Amino acid sequence: MLAKVQSERTAETAVYEQLIPAGEGWIRELQPGQVFRIEDVEGNEAADTLFFDTEHPEDHYSAINTINAQNNIYLTTGSVLKAESGKDLLEITADTVGRHDTLGGACSSQSNTVRYAHDREPMHNCRDTFMYQLAKYGHDYSKRDIAPNINFFMNVPVTPEGGLDFDDGISGPGYYVEMTAKCAVTALISNCPQLNNPCSGFNPTPLRVLIWDK
């Protein structure tokens, strides 16, 4: 059963709001205690997301430490997102989807050719979007800082044989996930441009990000 928790916050009280068009990226620092929401505006979109400790940029989100700490491969309300060092980066405090993927990884030029067809190689992909955003942002980030990421809103169940299925999305219009920053965190999002994946309904759509001070 999916654990869905509504937030009491409204968009009107947010101190920051930004729409991320389909296929575009976004990066911004969050201060300790700030609340960060990613909204699936039209439903069935995938928000490929990475987090970095702002004061120690080499210390990024760790899927392994997060899964070990919560003893669950899926993320939802109550999940604490861990860094490579073991430090707490953020805690999910509201979630109207109930389950998010942290195993499937970000699409790349190479994975698009393996999963779909060789003629998909030139299409946009999340790894390139991550790199483009980090290159604009500076702080000496490089390719080595692209770690296994979170795919918010993406439905990737694990099969009994231990494989991954990329299934139809379980999110919907206006669904969201909300997190509280446990320290100064840099958030990086690629609004997945994937036209070939049923998780996005074969139709990439916008995301919205909002921030509250408390």
Side-chain angles (χ1 to χ4, degrees):
M1 183 174 179
L2 300 178
K4 301 183 180 182
V5 175
Q6 298 269 353
S7 171
E8 296 180 352
R9 294 176 178 80
T10 63
E12 291 73 20
T13 61
V15 298
Y16 177 88
E17 178 179 348
Q18 181 70 47
L19 201 68
I20 309 174
E24 300 294 326
W26 177 90
I27 188 168
R28 188 178 176 89
E29 291 183 9
L30 306 172
Q31 299 305 310
Q34 284 192 318
V35 176
F36 174 52
R37 179 188 294 180
I38 309 174
E39 179 185 327
D40 189 358
V41 176
E42 297 185 27
N44 287 341
E45 184 54 3
D48 289 43
T49 306
L50 271 171
F51 296 107
F52 302 85
D53 180 345
T54 301
E55 296 179 355
H56 303 280
E58 72 282 1
D59 197 18
H60 52 68
Y61 167 76
S62 168
I64 298 299
N65 286 344
T66 301
I67 291 169
N68 284 340
Q70 65 172 356
N71 198 30
N72 193 328
I73 60 174
Y74 302 114
L75 304 177
T76 188
T77 306
S79 297
V80 175
L81 310 183
K82 297 280 190 176
E84 284 289 335
S85 66
K87 185 176 183 177
D88 294 354
L89 296 177
L90 305 102
E91 180 177 355
I92 299 178
T93 48
D95 176 15
T96 59
V97 179
R99 191 175 71 188
H100 305 273
D101 167 62
T102 195
L103 296 176
C107 62
S108 66
S109 175
Q110 292 80 7
S111 68
N112 287 338
T113 62
V114 171
R115 288 177 182 168
Y116 309 117
H118 287 297
D119 64 5
R120 302 295 192 270
E121 185 177 12
M123 73 180 295
H124 288 6
N125 63 78
C126 287
R127 287 187 65 86
D128 285 350
T129 301
F130 281 154
M131 282 307 306
Y132 180 58
Q133 291 296 317
L134 289 176
K136 289 194 303 180
Y137 190 64
H139 296 272
D140 296 325
Y141 283 111
S142 69
K143 193 173 185 178
R144 73 178 66 178
D145 296 302
I146 305 299
N149 61 289
I150 301 169
N151 295 311
F152 287 114
F153 311 124
M154 198 162 159
N155 185 23
V156 185
V158 177
T159 69
E161 295 76 25
L164 299 179
D165 280 340
F166 292 82
D167 281 359
D168 294 345
I170 56 175
S171 184
Y175 286 27
Y176 60 82
V177 59
E178 200 168 279
M179 296 154 269
T180 300
K182 310 292 280 186
C183 62
V185 173
T186 301
L188 170 63
I189 294 175
S190 168
N191 186 5
C192 187
Q194 190 47 253
L195 294 164
N196 306 284
N197 193 324
C199 290
S200 63
F202 307 102
N203 178 34
T205 53
L207 297 168
R208 184 166 69 152
V209 290
L210 302 104
I211 299 172
W212 291 263
D213 280 338
K214 292 291 183 181

